Each structure stands twice: as C-alpha cells, then as structure tokens.
Amino acid sequence: MRLVKQHVDFPTLLKRLSPFKAVSDEAMRDLEQRFVYRRYSRGTVISESSREVDEIFLIRNGKVHIYLKNSEGEDLLLHSLSQGDVFGRKLGGFSAALPTEIKCMEEMGVLVLKSDTLADHIRRFPETSLILVNIMASRLQENYETMACLSLGDVSSRLVRLLKRLGEKDGIRDDEGILLPNRFTQQELAQMIGARRETVSRLLSSFVENGTLTRRNRNLVLRF
C-alpha cells in the first residue's frame, strides 16, 4: 500500500507518486515546465467550470470524489482519489453526457495540465499518451466493477464484493486476513453500492459477529 504524505514537493510527486513516473527523463523535464499549480477549497465542484473540462489534474494534497447521479438524483460514488492520483473529465470513464460531478472533499492543491499544453507535450512525447490511456482503462475497469456490484440484488453481497475490491487495491495481507485502512466512511461505502448508511453499519456489525470481519483500531480486517 502506498504511504500518503500530506505535503510533498513537486519533483517527488511527479517522479515517485504519480503515474507519470514511467515517462522518460526528457519527457519528465518537459512536463515539469508545463504543470501549473492551483488550489480549491473544500466543497468546490470542479466539473461545473467549462474551462476545466479538458484539463488533467494531478493531486498534490487533499481528496476528490467523482460521483454519478442516478435516476432519482442520488449520488453514486465512483472514485475517491488522493495524493498522486490523476483525474479529469476525459479520464472519468463516462461521456460528458452523463451527470457526473467532481467534488473536493478537503482543501486541495493540484498540478494542472491545460488541454493545449498537454497536446503540445504529447506531440513531442507520444509516450505520455500511453500513461493517460492506462489511467482511463483502469478507471473504466473500476466503473464496470461498480456497475456489476450494483447489478447484484442483495445489499450484503454488494458490500462484500466492494470490500474485497478495496482490499485487493489498498489492503495489506497479514496472518489475520487483509487489513483495509480506514479510507472511507460508512456513508461513502453506502454511496458506492447504492445503499443507506444505516444498512452498511448494520451489515458491518453482522460481519464482525459472524467472524468474517474484525476491527483493528479504526481499520477493518477482511476474512472473506
């Protein structure tokens, strides 16, 4: 699991924590000159600004949620992203015609590649486009997993599937099972599976009672 620091200098962020670490040294130097720094306050909805639709964001500190609204207007949490993650409307995995929302959950500092400067960079260094394609493919896979999870009629099964997926992505295996760090609130877990927070709370308690889940401080240990 990647250890997250709240504050990190730009070269370290770009070269060690971001997907761009795979590009050549020359491409890296070119990227360093093109990124611009921007801050957002907590609660800002980034996708509401038309000038930001085609921009690519690299998170320096803070957290952003990407939501999809269902037919009842409720929020479905698709992605929760933090330091070192890259996002943008074109990397969200859905077309702009769908009602997606990108919301800052904390005060956030980001490095931004504007669409025209990104295009100039890719013309010089096509390898960077492969990085962006890989990010998009990963997001699409996560979206498909979310849709598959929602297709299951039983809320308990949806929650188990979600916890397994989070364990595979962020968990640490030890002698007791898979340690899942406390990254999400019960409300956020509920938004990921289209359920109510009270239902998720009750199910987590039942998993603890039957021994398939244990609590370690504020973290969960999965035994599925």
Side-chain angles (χ1 to χ4, degrees):
M1 183 187 72
R2 184 180 64 199
L3 295 178
V4 175
K5 295 181 180 180
Q6 291 301 312
H7 300 285
V8 65
D9 61 274
F10 177 41
T12 298
L13 176 67
L14 199 60
K15 296 176 182 178
R16 292 180 52 194
L17 300 178
S18 81
F20 296 108
K21 62 187 177 184
V23 303
S24 67
D25 291 342
E26 187 178 2
M28 182 71 72
R29 287 191 292 271
D30 186 78
L31 280 173
E32 289 177 350
Q33 298 174 2
R34 296 179 184 274
F35 273 107
V36 296
Y37 184 73
R38 194 180 294 165
R39 295 196 68 83
Y40 292 98
S41 60
R42 179 178 178 178
T44 300
V45 179
I46 295 176
S47 55
E48 286 182 347
S49 175
S50 60
R51 73 183 178 89
E52 297 164 323
V53 168
D54 293 329
E55 293 177 342
I56 301 299
F57 300 81
L58 171 61
I59 301 176
R60 181 177 183 268
N61 61 279
K63 182 169 68 173
V64 67
H65 281 178
I66 301 178
Y67 293 99
L68 176 69
K69 290 188 178 296
N70 64 19
S71 57
E72 287 78 34
E74 298 174 330
D75 290 329
L76 173 65
L77 179 54
L78 294 175
H79 309 286
S80 178
L81 307 176
S82 57
Q83 186 185 81
D85 287 324
V86 179
F87 69 94
R89 285 294 294 272
K90 289 188 175 181
L91 299 177
F94 284 104
S95 70
L98 290 173
T100 54
E101 180 176 277
I102 303 173
K103 185 175 183 180
C104 300
M105 306 307 295
E106 303 169 354
E107 183 177 347
M108 191 167 69
V110 295
L111 285 304
V112 182
L113 274 175
K114 297 185 178 181
S115 56
D116 54 347
T117 57
L118 176 60
D120 288 341
H121 170 82
I122 289 177
R123 279 192 287 269
R124 292 189 60 195
F125 303 97
E127 63 192 89
T128 303
S129 63
L130 296 178
I131 303 295
L132 299 178
V133 168
N134 287 336
I135 295 172
M136 182 176 291
S138 176
R139 295 285 160 75
L140 280 170
Q141 182 61 40
E142 291 178 11
N143 290 342
Y144 292 147
E145 285 291 330
T146 298
M147 296 301 107
C149 180
L150 290 174
S151 68
L152 297 172
D154 181 71
V155 178
S156 177
S157 299
R158 300 206 301 266
L159 181 57
V160 168
R161 182 166 181 152
L162 172 63
L163 292 175
K164 286 182 177 179
R165 177 157 59 90
L166 295 177
E168 291 173 358
K169 181 180 179 182
D170 298 320
I172 302 173
R173 184 172 293 278
D174 61 20
D175 293 338
E176 295 184 26
I178 298 176
L179 176 66
L180 183 60
N182 180 37
R183 284 191 56 205
F184 302 102
T185 66
Q186 292 182 358
Q187 177 62 33
E188 290 169 344
L189 293 175
Q191 289 180 319
M192 292 179 185
I193 61 172
R196 296 186 178 278
R197 185 200 63 78
E198 295 81 4
T199 303
V200 168
S201 178
R202 176 176 54 79
L203 287 171
L204 290 176
S205 296
S206 69
F207 294 160
V208 171
E209 290 176 2
N210 64 31
T212 57
L213 184 72
T214 59
R215 301 183 189 274
R216 185 183 300 172
N217 298 322
R218 298 181 63 186
N219 304 317
L220 301 177
V221 179
L222 311 180
R223 296 177 174 177
F224 300 129

